Amino acid sequence: MAAIVEIVEVSKAYRRGSYLLPVLTNISLVIEEGAFLALMGPSGSGKTTLLNLIAGLDQADQGIIRVGGVDITSLSESDLAAWRAGHVGFIFQFYNLIPVLTAFENVELPLMLSGLSKKDRQEHVAMALGLVNLQDRMDHYPGQLSGGQQQRVAIARAVVTDPTILVADEPTGDLDRGSAEEVLALMERLSGDLGKTVIMVTHDPRAARKARSMKYLDKGVLADAPQITFSECL
Amino acid sequence: MLLRLLFRNAFRHKLRTALTVCGMAVAVLAFSLLRTVIAAWYAGVAASAADRLITRNAISLVFSLPLSYKDRIRGVEGVKTVSYGNWFGAYYVEQKNFFANFAVEPRTYLGLYPEYLIPPDQKEAFLRDRKGCVVGRKLAKRFNWRPNDTVTLIGTIFPGNWEFVVRGIYDGRDDTIDDTQFFFHWDYLNETLKRTVARRADQVGFYIIGLSAPDRAAATAAAVDAVFKNSFAETLTETERAFQMSFVSMSEAILTAIRLVSLVIIVIIMAVVANTMAMSVRERLGEYVVLKTLGFHGRYLAGMILGESLLITGLGGLLGILLTFPAAEGFRRAVGTWFPVFRVEPETIYLGIAATLIVGVVAAVLPVWRVTTVRIAEGLRRIG
């Protein structure tokens, strides 16, 4: 498999007043196309920051990040926005759907920037909602859906543009066990059956075990993943 | 779909939006009414003709001029017609029934004021009857006067009961013309004065000069005043516009205050709408960050916020402008005595629209800045 994400000696620090707080230190990582990678680590270890850098939501202080061969650290803010629209699908912990738009409209949202015709957009949206098995809920507003259903709509929104990578930040963090299983199964399918590259940040060992590979971050440095015990999975 | 989102965002908090729209409507209504009051103050100035001069006593308008000046004025180069008159200052039945009433030389006066439209037969009847008078349509309606009615005015400057017969009712050529005035024969006044207070006879309050060449108004005015230089009653001649302006300028401080209040109202509503927009956007900051995450540029988000602000202020502004017309009509009915011409000018509507747009744009500035400058990672951290 070819590398889809290459991270070379990336560092990132946040300024807190006069104090510079290092979050990531000399991170180097290669993620292969079609991978389902779980990023784990304690709170404040830099998992979300690394995910944001890979997704082009934040800028690294140093180092290079290539996604699909594009050095995203050299892109301007505006080019980065356009790149994200075409290459990254986002799944958030709290779904982050727009409450005044229906499930269909929420999924259609990223396609507004694609230049597709209305008919093509409708076809894409129907396909994406079919993938998450929510065709019958397309006219429902987020408030009328359960947490699991909202997260599935969010997954449909993430995949509707057929992005290069899918990034998920604690996708099961706000879900009950049953819904979390459904969402994880869906992400497994996206990676396994459809060949999508999925990078998932999670605290949840059960979620992490669904991934085919795992990286562990501690104090901003990549480390070997600790063994996850059966009791942790429960 | 982005437009749909804009609309749904605007009405997400229905009560808040409704209150903001109402506030905006009231502000634009108040602004437009105050501007209409200002315009009404200037109505006389606006209705002034460029080919008329007014000559009065140089000391003050309350001092009169001899009737004998008439022929000397007529002899000045550039003068085509000369008429004259007196402010009569009488009222009808009770002092509260005040209106403008003038004794005028009728034939020349009506010739100089073609904007007063009188049916020919009524005009003839008025010219023939020395006790006849012509009244404006609005005034006639106010007191239910009809042609051939006898009307008694109670004099103040010229004490006594003055009896007139309504011979004509005039209409203004358009609605900028004051149709609340009362005109009667100057001769009627003068002959009565000759009998009662002879020393006040053959005196006129003002002359009205019709010009043959309006572009030479200043030179003609100077020439008229030069004729009476160093006489016992020197004159001050000015264009009708300047003459009317001299009345308006007496109230300049009040007008300035009204102008300021109208602007303050707009500034207040600007702050209110800006606060509403800031609250709405702060509540939805997470959604805007998500949109940014999905690749929507700052300009899309700026457009949506600006559009929402303009939609809310536009609805309020439109409502305010629409309400201005019935409100102005009510105002006119209530204080029509003081503002004979009280109409909502097109300029007032344009100003109302401009104020609405300015409020909409200014109210959106801070939220747009906030949304376009917030870093996505920072914004996502706040959402959770």
Side-chain angles (χ1 to χ4, degrees), chain A residues 14 57-58 78 81 84-85 90 92 94 96 98-100 105 109 113, chain B residues 1 4 8 12 287 290-297 375-377 383:
Chain A
Y14 289 120
L57 298 179
D58 209 349
S78 159
R84 277 197 309 272
F90 296 90
F92 304 97
F94 298 108
N96 290 342
I98 307 293
V100 290
E105 290 165 338
L109 207 50
L113 299 167
Chain B
M1 198 206 353
R4 216 176 309 152
R8 288 182 196 169
R12 200 185 281 200
E287 292 168 29
V290 169
L291 289 173
K292 282 178 104 170
T293 304
L294 296 178
F296 285 89
H297 285 280
R375 290 175 57 245
I376 296 175
I383 304 169

PDB file of all heavy atoms in Angstrom, chain A residues 14 57-58 78 81 84-85 90 92 94 96 98-100 105 109 113, chain B residues 1 4 8 12 287 290-297 375-377 383:
ATOM      1  N   TYR A  14       1.546  25.713  21.609  1.00  0.00           N
ATOM      2  CA  TYR A  14       0.550  26.778  21.795  1.00  0.00           C
ATOM      3  C   TYR A  14       1.090  27.806  22.770  1.00  0.00           C
ATOM      4  O   TYR A  14       1.763  27.459  23.738  1.00  0.00           O
ATOM      5  CB  TYR A  14      -0.765  26.205  22.340  1.00  0.00           C
ATOM      6  CG  TYR A  14      -1.524  25.388  21.328  1.00  0.00           C
ATOM      7  CD1 TYR A  14      -1.803  24.044  21.560  1.00  0.00           C
ATOM      8  CD2 TYR A  14      -1.959  25.962  20.137  1.00  0.00           C
ATOM      9  CE1 TYR A  14      -2.504  23.294  20.627  1.00  0.00           C
ATOM     10  CE2 TYR A  14      -2.654  25.215  19.199  1.00  0.00           C
ATOM     11  CZ  TYR A  14      -2.924  23.887  19.446  1.00  0.00           C
ATOM     12  OH  TYR A  14      -3.597  23.163  18.519  1.00  0.00           O
ATOM     13  N   LEU A  57      -6.591  21.668   9.586  1.00  0.00           N
ATOM     14  CA  LEU A  57      -7.370  22.615  10.389  1.00  0.00           C
ATOM     15  C   LEU A  57      -6.459  23.539  11.195  1.00  0.00           C
ATOM     16  O   LEU A  57      -6.904  24.532  11.746  1.00  0.00           O
ATOM     17  CB  LEU A  57      -8.288  21.862  11.365  1.00  0.00           C
ATOM     18  CG  LEU A  57      -9.344  20.963  10.732  1.00  0.00           C
ATOM     19  CD1 LEU A  57     -10.160  20.259  11.810  1.00  0.00           C
ATOM     20  CD2 LEU A  57     -10.268  21.764   9.834  1.00  0.00           C
ATOM     21  N   ASP A  58      -5.211  23.198  11.275  1.00  0.00           N
ATOM     22  CA  ASP A  58      -4.256  23.974  12.056  1.00  0.00           C
ATOM     23  C   ASP A  58      -2.909  23.903  11.331  1.00  0.00           C
ATOM     24  O   ASP A  58      -2.714  23.041  10.465  1.00  0.00           O
ATOM     25  CB  ASP A  58      -4.165  23.362  13.466  1.00  0.00           C
ATOM     26  CG  ASP A  58      -3.817  24.417  14.507  1.00  0.00           C
ATOM     27  OD1 ASP A  58      -3.448  25.538  14.103  1.00  0.00           O
ATOM     28  OD2 ASP A  58      -3.914  24.116  15.720  1.00  0.00           O
ATOM     29  N   SER A  78      -6.550  30.049   2.402  1.00  0.00           N
ATOM     30  CA  SER A  78      -7.625  29.908   1.420  1.00  0.00           C
ATOM     31  C   SER A  78      -7.479  28.603   0.622  1.00  0.00           C
ATOM     32  O   SER A  78      -8.458  27.881   0.399  1.00  0.00           O
ATOM     33  CB  SER A  78      -7.590  31.138   0.514  1.00  0.00           C
ATOM     34  OG  SER A  78      -8.210  30.883  -0.676  1.00  0.00           O
ATOM     35  N   ALA A  81      -8.476  25.689   2.729  1.00  0.00           N
ATOM     36  CA  ALA A  81      -9.934  25.519   2.828  1.00  0.00           C
ATOM     37  C   ALA A  81     -10.440  24.741   1.617  1.00  0.00           C
ATOM     38  O   ALA A  81     -11.247  23.807   1.750  1.00  0.00           O
ATOM     39  CB  ALA A  81     -10.616  26.878   2.916  1.00  0.00           C
ATOM     40  N   ARG A  84      -9.333  21.110   1.907  1.00  0.00           N
ATOM     41  CA  ARG A  84     -10.148  20.372   2.879  1.00  0.00           C
ATOM     42  C   ARG A  84     -11.483  19.956   2.267  1.00  0.00           C
ATOM     43  O   ARG A  84     -11.942  18.836   2.456  1.00  0.00           O
ATOM     44  CB  ARG A  84     -10.439  21.252   4.107  1.00  0.00           C
ATOM     45  CG  ARG A  84      -9.358  21.272   5.143  1.00  0.00           C
ATOM     46  CD  ARG A  84      -9.906  21.805   6.470  1.00  0.00           C
ATOM     47  NE  ARG A  84     -10.611  23.065   6.364  1.00  0.00           N
ATOM     48  CZ  ARG A  84     -10.048  24.265   6.443  1.00  0.00           C
ATOM     49  NH1 ARG A  84      -8.745  24.374   6.625  1.00  0.00           N
ATOM     50  NH2 ARG A  84     -10.766  25.363   6.333  1.00  0.00           N
ATOM     51  N   ALA A  85     -12.080  20.920   1.533  1.00  0.00           N
ATOM     52  CA  ALA A  85     -13.401  20.654   0.951  1.00  0.00           C
ATOM     53  C   ALA A  85     -13.353  19.429   0.039  1.00  0.00           C
ATOM     54  O   ALA A  85     -14.311  18.659  -0.022  1.00  0.00           O
ATOM     55  CB  ALA A  85     -13.886  21.875   0.178  1.00  0.00           C
ATOM     56  N   PHE A  90     -14.898  14.930   7.802  1.00  0.00           N
ATOM     57  CA  PHE A  90     -14.754  15.117   9.259  1.00  0.00           C
ATOM     58  C   PHE A  90     -15.909  14.463  10.009  1.00  0.00           C
ATOM     59  O   PHE A  90     -17.069  14.603   9.636  1.00  0.00           O
ATOM     60  CB  PHE A  90     -14.752  16.616   9.596  1.00  0.00           C
ATOM     61  CG  PHE A  90     -13.597  17.363   9.014  1.00  0.00           C
ATOM     62  CD1 PHE A  90     -13.686  17.932   7.750  1.00  0.00           C
ATOM     63  CD2 PHE A  90     -12.411  17.505   9.715  1.00  0.00           C
ATOM     64  CE1 PHE A  90     -12.613  18.616   7.202  1.00  0.00           C
ATOM     65  CE2 PHE A  90     -11.347  18.183   9.177  1.00  0.00           C
ATOM     66  CZ  PHE A  90     -11.442  18.744   7.916  1.00  0.00           C
ATOM     67  N   PHE A  92     -17.110  14.389  14.032  1.00  0.00           N
ATOM     68  CA  PHE A  92     -16.807  14.988  15.341  1.00  0.00           C
ATOM     69  C   PHE A  92     -17.491  14.203  16.460  1.00  0.00           C
ATOM     70  O   PHE A  92     -18.456  13.461  16.222  1.00  0.00           O
ATOM     71  CB  PHE A  92     -17.300  16.437  15.393  1.00  0.00           C
ATOM     72  CG  PHE A  92     -16.767  17.311  14.298  1.00  0.00           C
ATOM     73  CD1 PHE A  92     -17.501  17.556  13.139  1.00  0.00           C
ATOM     74  CD2 PHE A  92     -15.517  17.907  14.414  1.00  0.00           C
ATOM     75  CE1 PHE A  92     -17.017  18.376  12.137  1.00  0.00           C
ATOM     76  CE2 PHE A  92     -15.022  18.720  13.407  1.00  0.00           C
ATOM     77  CZ  PHE A  92     -15.770  18.949  12.268  1.00  0.00           C
ATOM     78  N   PHE A  94     -19.387  15.450  18.825  1.00  0.00           N
ATOM     79  CA  PHE A  94     -20.770  15.907  19.048  1.00  0.00           C
ATOM     80  C   PHE A  94     -21.493  16.139  17.729  1.00  0.00           C
ATOM     81  O   PHE A  94     -22.345  17.011  17.639  1.00  0.00           O
ATOM     82  CB  PHE A  94     -20.768  17.159  19.935  1.00  0.00           C
ATOM     83  CG  PHE A  94     -20.191  16.893  21.296  1.00  0.00           C
ATOM     84  CD1 PHE A  94     -18.950  17.388  21.662  1.00  0.00           C
ATOM     85  CD2 PHE A  94     -20.879  16.103  22.202  1.00  0.00           C
ATOM     86  CE1 PHE A  94     -18.416  17.128  22.912  1.00  0.00           C
ATOM     87  CE2 PHE A  94     -20.340  15.829  23.454  1.00  0.00           C
ATOM     88  CZ  PHE A  94     -19.112  16.337  23.810  1.00  0.00           C
ATOM     89  N   ASN A  96     -21.951  17.774  15.362  1.00  0.00           N
ATOM     90  CA  ASN A  96     -21.856  19.108  14.750  1.00  0.00           C
ATOM     91  C   ASN A  96     -22.644  19.240  13.459  1.00  0.00           C
ATOM     92  O   ASN A  96     -22.159  19.763  12.454  1.00  0.00           O
ATOM     93  CB  ASN A  96     -20.390  19.489  14.505  1.00  0.00           C
ATOM     94  CG  ASN A  96     -19.664  19.743  15.805  1.00  0.00           C
ATOM     95  OD1 ASN A  96     -20.294  19.957  16.837  1.00  0.00           O
ATOM     96  ND2 ASN A  96     -18.355  19.707  15.778  1.00  0.00           N
ATOM     97  N   ILE A  98     -25.849  20.951  11.442  1.00  0.00           N
ATOM     98  CA  ILE A  98     -26.510  22.260  11.527  1.00  0.00           C
ATOM     99  C   ILE A  98     -27.977  22.003  11.889  1.00  0.00           C
ATOM    100  O   ILE A  98     -28.704  21.349  11.122  1.00  0.00           O
ATOM    101  CB  ILE A  98     -26.416  23.022  10.181  1.00  0.00           C
ATOM    102  CG1 ILE A  98     -24.961  23.100   9.697  1.00  0.00           C
ATOM    103  CG2 ILE A  98     -27.058  24.397  10.282  1.00  0.00           C
ATOM    104  CD1 ILE A  98     -24.027  23.922  10.527  1.00  0.00           C
ATOM    105  N   PRO A  99     -28.413  22.487  13.048  1.00  0.00           N
ATOM    106  CA  PRO A  99     -29.742  22.083  13.545  1.00  0.00           C
ATOM    107  C   PRO A  99     -30.915  22.558  12.689  1.00  0.00           C
ATOM    108  O   PRO A  99     -31.987  21.970  12.764  1.00  0.00           O
ATOM    109  CB  PRO A  99     -29.801  22.701  14.945  1.00  0.00           C
ATOM    110  CG  PRO A  99     -28.745  23.732  14.978  1.00  0.00           C
ATOM    111  CD  PRO A  99     -27.698  23.337  14.004  1.00  0.00           C
ATOM    112  N   VAL A 100     -30.719  23.608  11.893  1.00  0.00           N
ATOM    113  CA  VAL A 100     -31.860  24.108  11.099  1.00  0.00           C
ATOM    114  C   VAL A 100     -31.897  23.497   9.703  1.00  0.00           C
ATOM    115  O   VAL A 100     -32.736  23.862   8.886  1.00  0.00           O
ATOM    116  CB  VAL A 100     -31.843  25.652  10.985  1.00  0.00           C
ATOM    117  CG1 VAL A 100     -32.173  26.300  12.312  1.00  0.00           C
ATOM    118  CG2 VAL A 100     -30.517  26.147  10.447  1.00  0.00           C
ATOM    119  N   GLU A 105     -30.067  17.967   3.876  1.00  0.00           N
ATOM    120  CA  GLU A 105     -29.375  19.253   3.642  1.00  0.00           C
ATOM    121  C   GLU A 105     -28.004  19.272   4.320  1.00  0.00           C
ATOM    122  O   GLU A 105     -27.054  19.851   3.788  1.00  0.00           O
ATOM    123  CB  GLU A 105     -30.247  20.402   4.149  1.00  0.00           C
ATOM    124  CG  GLU A 105     -31.485  20.625   3.298  1.00  0.00           C
ATOM    125  CD  GLU A 105     -32.527  21.503   3.973  1.00  0.00           C
ATOM    126  OE1 GLU A 105     -32.520  21.618   5.215  1.00  0.00           O
ATOM    127  OE2 GLU A 105     -33.367  22.053   3.253  1.00  0.00           O
ATOM    128  N   LEU A 109     -24.442  19.788   2.302  1.00  0.00           N
ATOM    129  CA  LEU A 109     -23.664  21.008   2.569  1.00  0.00           C
ATOM    130  C   LEU A 109     -22.253  21.010   1.940  1.00  0.00           C
ATOM    131  O   LEU A 109     -21.899  21.955   1.225  1.00  0.00           O
ATOM    132  CB  LEU A 109     -23.595  21.213   4.083  1.00  0.00           C
ATOM    133  CG  LEU A 109     -23.426  22.620   4.621  1.00  0.00           C
ATOM    134  CD1 LEU A 109     -24.417  23.592   4.010  1.00  0.00           C
ATOM    135  CD2 LEU A 109     -23.590  22.607   6.135  1.00  0.00           C
ATOM    136  N   LEU A 113     -19.823  23.271  -2.382  1.00  0.00           N
ATOM    137  CA  LEU A 113     -18.561  23.849  -2.856  1.00  0.00           C
ATOM    138  C   LEU A 113     -17.978  23.053  -4.023  1.00  0.00           C
ATOM    139  O   LEU A 113     -16.935  23.393  -4.555  1.00  0.00           O
ATOM    140  CB  LEU A 113     -17.538  23.872  -1.720  1.00  0.00           C
ATOM    141  CG  LEU A 113     -17.924  24.694  -0.497  1.00  0.00           C
ATOM    142  CD1 LEU A 113     -17.002  24.371   0.663  1.00  0.00           C
ATOM    143  CD2 LEU A 113     -17.867  26.168  -0.823  1.00  0.00           C
TER     144      LEU A 113
ATOM    145  N   MET B   1     -29.138  26.610  -1.271  1.00  0.00           N
ATOM    146  CA  MET B   1     -29.288  26.076   0.061  1.00  0.00           C
ATOM    147  C   MET B   1     -28.700  27.009   1.124  1.00  0.00           C
ATOM    148  O   MET B   1     -29.196  27.088   2.239  1.00  0.00           O
ATOM    149  CB  MET B   1     -28.621  24.721   0.159  1.00  0.00           C
ATOM    150  CG  MET B   1     -29.177  24.075   1.361  1.00  0.00           C
ATOM    151  SD  MET B   1     -28.373  22.856   2.303  1.00  0.00           S
ATOM    152  CE  MET B   1     -26.955  22.330   1.613  1.00  0.00           C
ATOM    153  N   ARG B   4     -31.232  29.332   2.042  1.00  0.00           N
ATOM    154  CA  ARG B   4     -32.192  28.698   2.937  1.00  0.00           C
ATOM    155  C   ARG B   4     -31.632  28.724   4.371  1.00  0.00           C
ATOM    156  O   ARG B   4     -32.338  29.016   5.327  1.00  0.00           O
ATOM    157  CB  ARG B   4     -32.413  27.263   2.485  1.00  0.00           C
ATOM    158  CG  ARG B   4     -33.848  26.779   2.672  1.00  0.00           C
ATOM    159  CD  ARG B   4     -34.009  25.376   2.113  1.00  0.00           C
ATOM    160  NE  ARG B   4     -33.523  25.247   0.751  1.00  0.00           N
ATOM    161  CZ  ARG B   4     -33.063  24.104   0.229  1.00  0.00           C
ATOM    162  NH1 ARG B   4     -32.999  23.019   0.970  1.00  0.00           N
ATOM    163  NH2 ARG B   4     -32.647  24.062  -1.019  1.00  0.00           N
ATOM    164  N   ARG B   8     -33.262  30.481   7.605  1.00  0.00           N
ATOM    165  CA  ARG B   8     -33.602  29.706   8.811  1.00  0.00           C
ATOM    166  C   ARG B   8     -32.831  30.227  10.015  1.00  0.00           C
ATOM    167  O   ARG B   8     -33.358  30.256  11.130  1.00  0.00           O
ATOM    168  CB  ARG B   8     -33.312  28.232   8.577  1.00  0.00           C
ATOM    169  CG  ARG B   8     -34.322  27.624   7.610  1.00  0.00           C
ATOM    170  CD  ARG B   8     -34.085  26.159   7.418  1.00  0.00           C
ATOM    171  NE  ARG B   8     -34.784  25.687   6.243  1.00  0.00           N
ATOM    172  CZ  ARG B   8     -34.609  24.501   5.703  1.00  0.00           C
ATOM    173  NH1 ARG B   8     -33.761  23.639   6.245  1.00  0.00           N
ATOM    174  NH2 ARG B   8     -35.273  24.140   4.632  1.00  0.00           N
ATOM    175  N   ARG B  12     -34.414  31.622  13.592  1.00  0.00           N
ATOM    176  CA  ARG B  12     -34.209  30.518  14.517  1.00  0.00           C
ATOM    177  C   ARG B  12     -34.775  30.884  15.894  1.00  0.00           C
ATOM    178  O   ARG B  12     -35.428  30.093  16.532  1.00  0.00           O
ATOM    179  CB  ARG B  12     -32.716  30.215  14.622  1.00  0.00           C
ATOM    180  CG  ARG B  12     -32.451  28.842  15.155  1.00  0.00           C
ATOM    181  CD  ARG B  12     -30.990  28.619  15.365  1.00  0.00           C
ATOM    182  NE  ARG B  12     -30.286  28.320  14.141  1.00  0.00           N
ATOM    183  CZ  ARG B  12     -29.093  27.704  14.131  1.00  0.00           C
ATOM    184  NH1 ARG B  12     -28.540  27.338  15.250  1.00  0.00           N
ATOM    185  NH2 ARG B  12     -28.482  27.478  13.000  1.00  0.00           N
ATOM    186  N   GLU B 287     -21.174  26.304  14.706  1.00  0.00           N
ATOM    187  CA  GLU B 287     -21.668  25.933  13.373  1.00  0.00           C
ATOM    188  C   GLU B 287     -20.844  26.602  12.285  1.00  0.00           C
ATOM    189  O   GLU B 287     -20.544  25.999  11.253  1.00  0.00           O
ATOM    190  CB  GLU B 287     -23.138  26.322  13.237  1.00  0.00           C
ATOM    191  CG  GLU B 287     -24.039  25.483  14.134  1.00  0.00           C
ATOM    192  CD  GLU B 287     -25.443  26.025  14.229  1.00  0.00           C
ATOM    193  OE1 GLU B 287     -25.899  26.664  13.254  1.00  0.00           O
ATOM    194  OE2 GLU B 287     -26.076  25.832  15.279  1.00  0.00           O
ATOM    195  N   VAL B 290     -17.682  24.761  11.986  1.00  0.00           N
ATOM    196  CA  VAL B 290     -17.882  23.511  11.229  1.00  0.00           C
ATOM    197  C   VAL B 290     -17.927  23.811   9.728  1.00  0.00           C
ATOM    198  O   VAL B 290     -17.322  23.106   8.915  1.00  0.00           O
ATOM    199  CB  VAL B 290     -19.176  22.796  11.695  1.00  0.00           C
ATOM    200  CG1 VAL B 290     -19.538  21.650  10.757  1.00  0.00           C
ATOM    201  CG2 VAL B 290     -18.995  22.276  13.109  1.00  0.00           C
ATOM    202  N   LEU B 291     -18.626  24.878   9.377  1.00  0.00           N
ATOM    203  CA  LEU B 291     -18.684  25.258   7.955  1.00  0.00           C
ATOM    204  C   LEU B 291     -17.285  25.570   7.433  1.00  0.00           C
ATOM    205  O   LEU B 291     -16.923  25.192   6.313  1.00  0.00           O
ATOM    206  CB  LEU B 291     -19.610  26.469   7.757  1.00  0.00           C
ATOM    207  CG  LEU B 291     -21.105  26.189   7.938  1.00  0.00           C
ATOM    208  CD1 LEU B 291     -21.907  27.481   7.891  1.00  0.00           C
ATOM    209  CD2 LEU B 291     -21.614  25.243   6.853  1.00  0.00           C
ATOM    210  N   LYS B 292     -16.497  26.267   8.258  1.00  0.00           N
ATOM    211  CA  LYS B 292     -15.110  26.541   7.851  1.00  0.00           C
ATOM    212  C   LYS B 292     -14.346  25.231   7.676  1.00  0.00           C
ATOM    213  O   LYS B 292     -13.581  25.054   6.728  1.00  0.00           O
ATOM    214  CB  LYS B 292     -14.395  27.410   8.904  1.00  0.00           C
ATOM    215  CG  LYS B 292     -14.752  28.878   8.836  1.00  0.00           C
ATOM    216  CD  LYS B 292     -14.050  29.659   9.921  1.00  0.00           C
ATOM    217  CE  LYS B 292     -12.887  30.437   9.380  1.00  0.00           C
ATOM    218  NZ  LYS B 292     -12.335  31.376  10.376  1.00  0.00           N
ATOM    219  N   THR B 293     -14.581  24.311   8.622  1.00  0.00           N
ATOM    220  CA  THR B 293     -13.913  23.015   8.558  1.00  0.00           C
ATOM    221  C   THR B 293     -14.241  22.312   7.237  1.00  0.00           C
ATOM    222  O   THR B 293     -13.373  21.707   6.608  1.00  0.00           O
ATOM    223  CB  THR B 293     -14.394  22.123   9.733  1.00  0.00           C
ATOM    224  OG1 THR B 293     -14.153  22.824  10.933  1.00  0.00           O
ATOM    225  CG2 THR B 293     -13.668  20.801   9.750  1.00  0.00           C
ATOM    226  N   LEU B 294     -15.511  22.424   6.832  1.00  0.00           N
ATOM    227  CA  LEU B 294     -15.937  21.758   5.595  1.00  0.00           C
ATOM    228  C   LEU B 294     -15.387  22.438   4.348  1.00  0.00           C
ATOM    229  O   LEU B 294     -15.590  21.954   3.241  1.00  0.00           O
ATOM    230  CB  LEU B 294     -17.467  21.721   5.520  1.00  0.00           C
ATOM    231  CG  LEU B 294     -18.174  20.909   6.612  1.00  0.00           C
ATOM    232  CD1 LEU B 294     -19.680  20.985   6.445  1.00  0.00           C
ATOM    233  CD2 LEU B 294     -17.719  19.462   6.592  1.00  0.00           C
ATOM    234  N   GLY B 295     -14.743  23.584   4.542  1.00  0.00           N
ATOM    235  CA  GLY B 295     -14.103  24.248   3.406  1.00  0.00           C
ATOM    236  C   GLY B 295     -14.750  25.544   2.976  1.00  0.00           C
ATOM    237  O   GLY B 295     -14.350  26.137   1.973  1.00  0.00           O
ATOM    238  N   PHE B 296     -15.768  25.998   3.721  1.00  0.00           N
ATOM    239  CA  PHE B 296     -16.403  27.266   3.356  1.00  0.00           C
ATOM    240  C   PHE B 296     -15.478  28.419   3.733  1.00  0.00           C
ATOM    241  O   PHE B 296     -15.034  28.520   4.874  1.00  0.00           O
ATOM    242  CB  PHE B 296     -17.755  27.415   4.066  1.00  0.00           C
ATOM    243  CG  PHE B 296     -18.827  26.559   3.471  1.00  0.00           C
ATOM    244  CD1 PHE B 296     -19.024  25.258   3.915  1.00  0.00           C
ATOM    245  CD2 PHE B 296     -19.626  27.028   2.441  1.00  0.00           C
ATOM    246  CE1 PHE B 296     -20.002  24.446   3.363  1.00  0.00           C
ATOM    247  CE2 PHE B 296     -20.606  26.225   1.876  1.00  0.00           C
ATOM    248  CZ  PHE B 296     -20.787  24.932   2.333  1.00  0.00           C
ATOM    249  N   HIS B 297     -15.196  29.254   2.740  1.00  0.00           N
ATOM    250  CA  HIS B 297     -14.306  30.400   2.965  1.00  0.00           C
ATOM    251  C   HIS B 297     -14.986  31.434   3.858  1.00  0.00           C
ATOM    252  O   HIS B 297     -16.210  31.454   3.974  1.00  0.00           O
ATOM    253  CB  HIS B 297     -13.991  31.081   1.631  1.00  0.00           C
ATOM    254  CG  HIS B 297     -13.015  30.325   0.798  1.00  0.00           C
ATOM    255  ND1 HIS B 297     -11.666  30.377   1.014  1.00  0.00           N
ATOM    256  CD2 HIS B 297     -13.198  29.499  -0.252  1.00  0.00           C
ATOM    257  CE1 HIS B 297     -11.056  29.619   0.131  1.00  0.00           C
ATOM    258  NE2 HIS B 297     -11.971  29.067  -0.659  1.00  0.00           N
ATOM    259  N   ARG B 375      -9.848  30.827  14.711  1.00  0.00           N
ATOM    260  CA  ARG B 375      -9.107  29.685  14.168  1.00  0.00           C
ATOM    261  C   ARG B 375      -9.945  28.424  14.370  1.00  0.00           C
ATOM    262  O   ARG B 375     -10.578  28.250  15.416  1.00  0.00           O
ATOM    263  CB  ARG B 375      -7.752  29.573  14.868  1.00  0.00           C
ATOM    264  CG  ARG B 375      -6.812  30.711  14.461  1.00  0.00           C
ATOM    265  CD  ARG B 375      -5.521  30.703  15.229  1.00  0.00           C
ATOM    266  NE  ARG B 375      -4.810  29.441  15.078  1.00  0.00           N
ATOM    267  CZ  ARG B 375      -4.593  28.599  16.082  1.00  0.00           C
ATOM    268  NH1 ARG B 375      -5.026  28.893  17.283  1.00  0.00           N
ATOM    269  NH2 ARG B 375      -3.932  27.473  15.878  1.00  0.00           N
ATOM    270  N   ILE B 376      -9.941  27.577  13.342  1.00  0.00           N
ATOM    271  CA  ILE B 376     -10.819  26.408  13.377  1.00  0.00           C
ATOM    272  C   ILE B 376     -10.516  25.543  14.604  1.00  0.00           C
ATOM    273  O   ILE B 376     -11.438  25.149  15.335  1.00  0.00           O
ATOM    274  CB  ILE B 376     -10.665  25.581  12.088  1.00  0.00           C
ATOM    275  CG1 ILE B 376     -11.123  26.401  10.883  1.00  0.00           C
ATOM    276  CG2 ILE B 376     -11.489  24.310  12.170  1.00  0.00           C
ATOM    277  CD1 ILE B 376     -10.909  25.723   9.548  1.00  0.00           C
ATOM    278  N   ALA B 377      -9.239  25.279  14.819  1.00  0.00           N
ATOM    279  CA  ALA B 377      -8.873  24.405  15.938  1.00  0.00           C
ATOM    280  C   ALA B 377      -9.365  24.998  17.255  1.00  0.00           C
ATOM    281  O   ALA B 377      -9.897  24.285  18.122  1.00  0.00           O
ATOM    282  CB  ALA B 377      -7.364  24.219  15.973  1.00  0.00           C
ATOM    283  N   ILE B 383     -16.311  24.082  21.049  1.00  0.00           N
ATOM    284  CA  ILE B 383     -17.538  23.287  20.899  1.00  0.00           C
ATOM    285  C   ILE B 383     -17.463  22.069  21.801  1.00  0.00           C
ATOM    286  O   ILE B 383     -18.438  21.621  22.377  1.00  0.00           O
ATOM    287  CB  ILE B 383     -17.721  22.790  19.439  1.00  0.00           C
ATOM    288  CG1 ILE B 383     -17.714  23.952  18.460  1.00  0.00           C
ATOM    289  CG2 ILE B 383     -19.025  22.033  19.292  1.00  0.00           C
ATOM    290  CD1 ILE B 383     -17.630  23.505  17.021  1.00  0.00           C
TER     291      ILE B 383
END
